[in-house]
Amino acid sequence: MRTFIITILMFTAVLYADVFTSSTMHSYALGKRFGFEVTGERVLKTPIWKADADSPPLAPRRADQLATAKFRKLISDTKGWKRGSITLVDAGDSLHWYYVIHFVQMDEFSGVPPTLHVIVLMDGTVVEPRIDEDKRLR
């Protein structure tokens, strides 16, 4: 019986993995492209936010603190930058969620302002970005 239950749970996890697709959010700042990828496999390992729970497993204030710490490591000169918003994103099943914390440079410039979107998962993990040269600037 125990083996049967474990098999069913593993099968269910495989089914749920198909619900989530990998998604990458790109941000552009300082001549670089920052790609923050969230995979279904990674999201499934995070705590769920039950429909009857008032608050998510990770408090917004804590997500903001974690994202701000990562932001300060990625952007050496944060003068003129401001946190714009904190957004909760449903990963696709109404149980798994993550935060996107948006930072924007408010200095005077022409065109689209530099932005950085930092992703924080419900277990407190800050997604490490892939950093490339911004090819739009060539």
Side-chain angles (χ1 to χ4, degrees):
M1 181 68 171
R2 183 176 174 188
T3 303
F4 176 74
I5 291 172
I6 291 172
T7 303
I8 293 297
L9 289 173
M10 289 174 63
F11 179 72
T12 303
V14 169
L15 286 177
Y16 268 114
D18 290 341
V19 170
F20 306 109
T21 59
S22 283
S23 66
T24 303
M25 181 173 291
H26 290 102
S27 299
Y28 299 89
L30 307 175
K32 298 176 185 174
R33 180 178 75 167
F34 298 83
F36 291 84
E37 182 181 21
V38 179
T39 65
E41 179 182 345
R42 183 65 188 101
V43 168
L44 281 173
K45 294 178 182 176
T46 63
I48 63 171
W49 183 13
K50 295 180 182 178
D52 62 349
D54 290 335
S55 300
L58 181 68
R61 184 84 59 201
R62 182 65 181 140
D64 182 33
Q65 293 167 346
L66 294 166
T68 299
K70 174 57 73 180
F71 166 75
R72 288 184 177 140
K73 288 181 181 176
L74 295 171
I75 306 295
S76 56
D77 182 8
T78 59
K79 183 180 179 221
W81 286 82
K82 176 184 173 185
R83 182 193 21 84
S85 63
I86 300 173
T87 305
L88 271 166
V89 177
D90 182 348
D93 66 353
S94 298
L95 292 173
H96 293 88
W97 296 73
Y98 58 89
Y99 289 98
V100 177
I101 294 83
H102 175 159
F103 297 90
V104 63
Q105 190 173 25
M106 302 301 289
D107 288 344
E108 291 185 30
F109 50 85
S110 61
V112 178
T115 61
L116 189 66
H117 297 87
V118 179
I119 296 176
V120 181
L121 305 176
M122 284 298 163
D123 62 1
T125 301
V126 180
V127 174
E128 284 294 328
R130 177 179 173 178
I131 304 171
D132 299 309
E133 181 182 341
D134 184 355
K135 295 179 182 174
R136 300 175 312 162
L137 299 176
R138 288 184 181 175

